[in-house]
Amino acid sequence: MTAGSSQRNAAVVLLIFHLYLYGSYQLTELQVCHLCNRTVQNSTALGQFCSASAGLVDGCCCLLRKENTSNADYVIGLDLSNCSLSHVEDLQEASTAAMIDISLNPIVQLNNSLFQGFIQLDNLILPVNLTCPGGNASWNKMEVKGDTRHCEGQKDICNQTGHLSLNCPENSFCAAYGPGFFECSCVDNFHGYKCLREVSEYTTSSMYDYCQDNGFNFILNNISNL
Ligand SMILES: *[C@@H]1O[C@H](CO)[C@@H](O)[C@H](O)[C@H]1NC(C)=O
Ligand SMILES: *[C@@H]1O[C@H](CO)[C@@H](O)[C@H](O)[C@H]1NC(C)=O
Ligand SMILES: *[C@@H]1O[C@H](CO)[C@@H](O)[C@H](O)[C@H]1NC(C)=O
Ligand SMILES: *[C@@H]1O[C@H](CO)[C@@H](O)[C@H](O)[C@H]1NC(C)=O
Ligand SMILES: *[C@@H]1O[C@H](CO)[C@@H](O)[C@H](O)[C@H]1NC(C)=O
Ligand SMILES: *[C@@H]1O[C@H](CO)[C@@H](O)[C@H](O)[C@H]1NC(C)=O
Ligand SMILES: *[C@@H]1O[C@H](CO)[C@@H](O)[C@H](O)[C@H]1NC(C)=O
Ligand SMILES: *[C@@H]1O[C@H](CO)[C@@H](O)[C@H](O)[C@H]1NC(C)=O
Ligand SMILES: *[C@@H]1O[C@H](CO)[C@@H](O)[C@H](O)[C@H]1NC(C)=O
């Protein structure tokens, strides 16, 4: 073997090594995908949903790749069913999910804000003894199948007539914020407590940005308090 070809071989090995590292880095970034020591099974509803959506399986997640940005996959499905989990604390990494299954686990209670901000969630499968977050104001269909409870078709809380009075203060509008929640988002130029502060010509843009960045431009509401 000549010196030239062994250098070339080393370069190829190095390239493969890099590809391997790069590839595996991309698929282990999200901790939520490894809450369950298992991969999404093709035979489950979530597996079917994932292949129908052309998603990638990473552990217990189904991911879609954002266009134009490498290393920025987002979760569209999460399968934590039958995983011996007694509590689930933080699923924020999966807040873009359309389907989540946490059924068949010995979970007795869920944190009230667990699904806060999950506006895309359309199919939630829970252990039968837990209730659908937000109740019938948040879901089109809630049904029990054996040991599982299915919460299907998330409703837009802001688009409902009836007993719920979603009173957003003046200078703000209602925006859905996941099952059981909505936000009153201040309209342009208003911010602060109850969206009462108007940005005046005396407000510098850095003060305005400060208020925006600190979340003072909306009011988070919980429908169980209405
Ligand atoms: C996951 O499963 C593998 C083998 O199936 C095992 O070696 C590993 O310890 C498990 N990890 C956890 C966190 O249970
Ligand atoms: C999973 O099922 C879909 C159709 O339901 C099929 O197209 C796909 O090849 C299957 N994937 C695997 C890994 O078996
Ligand atoms: C991705 O990049 C292409 C051109 O490079 C651009 O036309 C397209 O709008 C971009 N897509 C997104 C989602 O930014
Ligand atoms: C749950 O997992 C256990 C093994 O950990 C398996 O024996 C059982 O069949 C699974 N149940 C369902 C409904 O998938
Ligand atoms: C519920 O979740 C929120 C946000 O993830 C956290 O701040 C809060 O401490 C949790 N509450 C409980 C009782 O665990
Ligand atoms: C929503 O309101 C109910 C009833 O007041 C309360 O028990 C629950 O903790 C609240 N949830 C959040 C996330 O604030
Ligand atoms: C649900 O709760 C009932 C009583 O509240 C209990 O008998 C039953 O075993 C529970 N089911 C599961 C799957 O934990
Ligand atoms: C929702 O549930 C409440 C009480 O649980 C009930 O009064 C109301 O009629 C239900 N609304 C719908 C649309 O089913
Ligand atoms: C609001 O609700 C009506 C009837 O329930 C529906 O036709 C309409 O598409 C909804 N609009 C939005 C933005 O969800």
Side-chain angles (χ1 to χ4, degrees), residues 190-211:
F190 286 87
H191 66 94
Y193 176 71
K194 291 191 174 177
C195 302
L196 286 173
R197 301 193 55 168
E198 187 169 8
V199 179
S200 70
E201 54 185 307
Y202 305 109
T203 314
T204 64
S205 70
S206 67
M207 276 167 71
Y208 185 63
D209 290 345
Y210 173 81
C211 293

Side-chain angles (χ1 to χ4, degrees), residues 1-18:
M1 206 196 286
T2 65
S5 86
S6 80
Q7 267 173 9
R8 221 175 301 128
N9 287 346
V12 169
V13 168
L14 207 64
L15 177 68
I16 291 171
F17 186 64
H18 272 286

